[in-house]
């Protein structure tokens, strides 16, 4: 059974700094998406990577993927107060299920 | 296009009561899901459906039931509410792949 471990549980970053969230998975998956959740809202897809790609960048958000170590991470460059949210990594088991990590609460202070 | 809608937004139940959480989507998605979110525990899959008339258990199905009579609707039933079911419940849908669209959630308290 797939498991996804996520760390840290919470993260405090100064405005303009780099936020880094790490995840580790156990079994091969099709895709590794990241979801962003603001307080009182449902999660929404932020960015995703396939296991045959080592890095994907979209604006200030970058996913790094290490297949041999079974790890992937989200980097948020130039972090802004508007990035304050909870972030979930996940592993896609195909079209039917996502296995989520436990979440990281990010707070960016001005 | 409303996306995924959930009702109610909030509910307080007494132990042993029953209720149905409603979920509807207007994107013609085949896949629908129910999750519960507890602090520090992430999102746990309760039940999911790959199409009308087809449902299957997720990681934490005990105490819940679902049905999927139409593509649009996927209600979640709690038969005998217990304090352990206090949580925030999210419904989601997807057409294909890893992008799931989530509703705004239902905050349920069982006392």
């Amino acid at each position: 059974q797939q498991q996804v471990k996520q760390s840290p549980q919470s993260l405090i970053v100064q405005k303009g700094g780099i936020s880094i969230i790490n995840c580790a998975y156990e079994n091969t998956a099709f895709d590794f998406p990241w979801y962003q959740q603001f307080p009182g809202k449902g999660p929404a897809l932020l960015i995703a990577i396939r296991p045959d790609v080592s890095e994907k960048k979209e604006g200030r958000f970058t996913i790094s993927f290490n297949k041999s170590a079974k790890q992937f991470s989200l980097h948020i460059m130039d972090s802004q107060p508007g990035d304050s949210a909870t972030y979930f990594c996940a592993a896609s088991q195909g079209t039917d299920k996502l296995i989520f990590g436990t979440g990281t609460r990010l707070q960016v202070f001005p | 296009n409303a996306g995924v809608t959930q009702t109610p937004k909030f509910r307080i139940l007494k132990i042993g009561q029953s209720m149905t959480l409603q979920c509807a989507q207007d994107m013609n998605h085949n896949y629908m899901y129910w999750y519960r979110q507890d602090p520090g525990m992430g999102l746990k899959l309760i039940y999911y459906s790959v199409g009308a008339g087809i449902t299957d258990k997720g990681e934490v199905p005990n105490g819940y039931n679902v049905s999927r009579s139409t593509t649009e609707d996927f209600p979640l039933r709690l038969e005998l509410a217990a304090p352990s079911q206090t949580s925030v419940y999210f419904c989601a849908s997807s057409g294909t792949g890893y992008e799931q669209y989530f509703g705004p959630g239902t905050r349920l308290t069982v006392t």
Side-chain angles (χ1 to χ4, degrees):
Chain A
Q1 173 126 0
Q2 177 73 275
Q3 285 198 44
V4 178
K5 295 183 179 178
Q6 183 172 348
S7 63
Q9 190 171 5
S10 64
L11 184 60
I12 299 174
V13 172
Q14 201 86 22
K15 178 183 175 182
I18 302 173
S19 303
I20 302 173
I21 304 170
N22 299 300
C23 287
Y25 64 97
E26 291 193 353
N27 303 310
T28 303
F30 289 98
D31 300 277
F32 295 88
W34 286 85
Y35 279 74
Q36 180 187 52
Q37 183 183 30
F38 293 106
K41 305 290 186 185
L45 179 67
L46 179 65
I47 186 173
I49 195 167
R50 295 181 61 89
D52 56 352
V53 175
S54 61
E55 184 176 280
K56 182 175 181 180
K57 184 176 180 179
E58 288 185 3
R60 297 183 293 108
F61 299 90
T62 300
I63 303 177
S64 297
F65 190 85
N66 186 331
K67 191 172 183 177
S68 60
K70 294 188 176 180
Q71 295 175 345
F72 58 112
S73 59
L74 176 69
H75 291 64
I76 306 174
M77 312 300 287
D78 187 25
S79 299
Q80 300 296 312
D83 297 330
S84 297
T86 299
Y87 293 82
F88 294 96
C89 60
S92 168
Q93 301 301 115
T95 52
D96 56 352
K97 283 187 282 190
L98 288 176
I99 305 299
F100 285 92
T102 50
T104 297
R105 185 184 175 206
L106 172 65
Q107 295 174 274
V108 182
F109 285 95
Chain B
N1 192 338
V4 178
T5 57
Q6 291 183 238
T7 55
K9 283 189 167 53
F10 304 93
R11 184 73 187 268
I12 298 175
L13 279 182
K14 293 188 186 308
I15 295 171
Q17 285 185 321
S18 301
M19 77 164 294
T20 299
L21 282 66
Q22 301 291 346
C23 174
Q25 53 96 5
D26 61 1
M27 295 173 282
N28 201 34
H29 286 165
N30 284 326
Y31 300 90
M32 294 189 74
Y33 315 84
W34 274 106
Y35 295 92
R36 60 176 289 171
Q37 183 176 24
D38 301 302
M41 299 297 290
L43 293 151
K44 297 292 186 185
L45 183 65
I46 304 171
Y47 270 95
Y48 67 104
S49 169
V50 301
I54 306 169
T55 62
D56 206 350
K57 295 178 181 178
E59 300 172 78
V60 290
N62 292 342
Y64 307 94
N65 273 303
V66 294
S67 60
R68 182 101 182 265
S69 56
T70 67
T71 299
E72 294 77 23
D73 300 298
F74 191 39
L76 178 72
R77 178 88 178 154
L78 282 71
E79 288 294 347
L80 290 170
S84 61
Q85 294 178 305
T86 293
S87 188
V88 181
Y89 292 84
F90 287 100
C91 178
S93 72
S94 72
T96 182
Y98 54 79
E99 184 164 15
Q100 294 185 8
Y101 295 82
F102 284 77
T106 294
R107 185 173 294 273
L108 175 67
T109 302
V110 182
T111 62

